[in-house]
Structures are given as structure tokens and as C-alpha cells.
Amino acid sequence: MKKTIALLLAALLMTVLLPGGAQTQETLQGTITETSDGRFLLADDTYGEVWIAYDDTTEWEGLSAPQTNLYVTVAYNGVMTRSMPPQAQALRVSRHTLSGMVLAYDGDMHALLLATLTLGEVLVLLPGAAEAYPPGDFVTVAYNGVMTMSYPGQVNALAVHRHESLTGVIAAVEDGHIMIGEGDAAVWVNIDDNTRLYGELYAGERVVVYYSGVMTLSMPPQIYGEIILTFDYSGLN
């Protein structure tokens, strides 16, 4: 009996002392709705609103900084405060996405067949309440980073976001934005490190800018470029 107790105590001590022994990791998934210095508000699919704190030790995958309307997965140590809303410390913030044109919708599978920008055709299995987008729509799919080895590859969508598009010729390229069109037809397109760019930006290049549909009433109007595809880019399959 004493030997058994001694073994149990030794095992417990090793669990406490080993660096990875007591380390737990859980995840939150949802859309970023607000950002501020050192934290962002996440509309988590399970818990609702949660403040996510981050610092220099936080790892970023698929994005360089938090931004509203992005669907992300947050890994944290399982500790959440009892404040309203609660707060958790991010160990890692991940964003796994596929973007492309809807080729077809399969009602039996509730799935979209996408012609993606980088991976060819991919079958996207939609969540139960997700909208069935028609062929021709351009969407971005958030998923957990896992794709089957089948042909076409399959992913399980966590969320799907439809884009509006603006097509035109670049009139100017400046730090943090580009100008599409000229005069009354001009539109400022704001860009940053989270903008996914396919091709090179230069004056005279014809581009398609995919954005959320939000455009300011300023003169000229402004949009945020979520994806920019140049006409000399041949990756869309």
C-alpha cells in the first residue's frame, strides 16, 4: 500500500514539474468584431463574446494582426476570467482560408465546389445553417487547416464569407493603398499585411479587388482590399 501511494505521489510530482505536463491547450473559434491595443473581441461560436489578449509571445498563422470580420481559431491555456465578457490569453491565433469562385452547389451534400486561387478544385462541406451560394459567387472559406487527400480535396467549412468585387485599372500605387480609376470613377483601395495579393501592383495594371461590400461615402470612396487579383495572375483554376 505504501509503495502504491509513493508511486502515485511521484507521478503527480512529475506532472507538476515537467514543462509540458500541466500545460493544457483549448481553442476558441469565431469572428473578430472589435480590436484595440493588445486585445480583440471574438464572437466565439460557443461562448459568445470573449476578449482575447495577446502579446509578443503569441504566434500568428495566416494573418499578421487582428482585424475585424476575420474568422480565426484561438489556442489558449484553458483559463478564462469570469468577467463580462470573459477574457483569455492567446497562445496562437490561426486563420486557415480558401478563396475562389463557386462552380457548383451540391444540395445532397450541402457542399460547394470551388475553383480556388491556389489549390485547384476543392469541395467545401458547409455547416448546417450556412447559405448555399450560387455558381459565379466569389467566397472565402474558413476551415481548420485539414484537407483530405481525395480528388478533389475536401474541407469542412467553419464559416463562409461572400465578397463583392471591383474591377479596374490601377491609377496610382502608394504606401497602404492603391487608386483604381480616375476622376469621378476613382476608388481608394486600402491594403495592409492581411491583404492577400496575387500578382504585382503597378500603375496601368488591371486588377480585380474583392472586398466586404462596405464602401465609404467619402470623395473618392474607400474600400478595404481583402483579396487583390491581377489579370496577369494565372493561379485561378
Side-chain angles (χ1 to χ4, degrees):
M1 182 67 177
K2 290 182 179 180
K3 185 176 181 180
T4 301
I5 294 175
L7 290 173
L8 289 173
L9 288 173
L12 177 61
L13 183 62
M14 290 296 289
T15 300
V16 172
L17 293 180
L18 287 176
Q23 181 84 14
T24 61
Q25 191 171 110
E26 298 183 15
T27 59
L28 300 168
Q29 292 180 331
T31 302
I32 298 174
T33 60
E34 184 180 336
T35 63
S36 62
D37 291 340
R39 66 178 190 168
F40 59 86
L41 189 61
L42 184 75
D44 179 69
D45 293 341
T46 301
Y47 296 102
E49 290 189 338
V50 179
W51 277 112
I52 305 298
Y54 61 91
D55 55 27
D56 293 341
T57 67
T58 302
E59 299 177 9
W60 300 87
E61 296 179 349
L63 71 166
S64 60
Q67 180 180 308
T68 57
N69 297 320
L70 295 186
Y71 191 97
V72 297
T73 299
V74 177
Y76 71 110
N77 63 1
V79 178
M80 191 181 298
T81 68
R82 295 184 178 181
S83 55
M84 292 298 290
Q87 179 169 307
Q89 178 70 37
L91 302 174
R92 183 175 61 258
V93 182
S94 305
R95 182 190 182 211
H96 299 287
T97 60
L98 291 171
S99 296
M101 194 76 67
V102 177
L103 297 178
Y105 169 70
D106 186 321
D108 293 333
M109 298 182 67
H110 193 39
L112 300 176
L113 182 62
L114 288 190
T116 71
L117 290 171
T118 55
L119 297 175
E121 293 185 358
V122 176
L123 189 65
V124 178
L125 304 178
L126 299 173
E131 183 177 347
Y133 294 95
D137 276 2
F138 192 93
V139 300
T140 289
V141 175
Y143 70 112
N144 64 0
V146 177
M147 181 181 297
T148 68
M149 299 296 290
S150 59
Y151 183 80
Q154 295 184 29
V155 300
N156 289 298
L158 301 172
V160 183
H161 168 62
R162 180 184 179 277
H163 300 274
E164 298 291 344
S165 64
L166 173 69
T167 303
V169 176
I170 298 176
V173 179
E174 299 183 15
D175 186 27
H177 55 257
I178 60 176
M179 176 76 84
I180 304 294
E182 297 179 334
D184 294 340
V187 176
W188 280 115
V189 180
N190 297 307
I191 59 177
D192 58 22
D193 291 340
N194 284 334
T195 300
R196 284 177 289 160
L197 174 62
Y198 300 89
E200 297 184 8
L201 301 179
Y202 55 86
E205 172 67 293
R206 189 170 178 83
V207 296
V208 180
V209 178
Y210 294 100
Y211 67 107
S212 67
V214 176
M215 181 180 293
T216 69
L217 297 176
S218 57
M219 293 298 292
Q222 298 185 34
I223 61 175
Y224 171 71
E226 298 173 321
I227 300 170
I228 300 179
L229 178 66
T230 66
F231 270 61
D232 62 4
Y233 178 78
S234 58
L236 186 60
N237 292 279

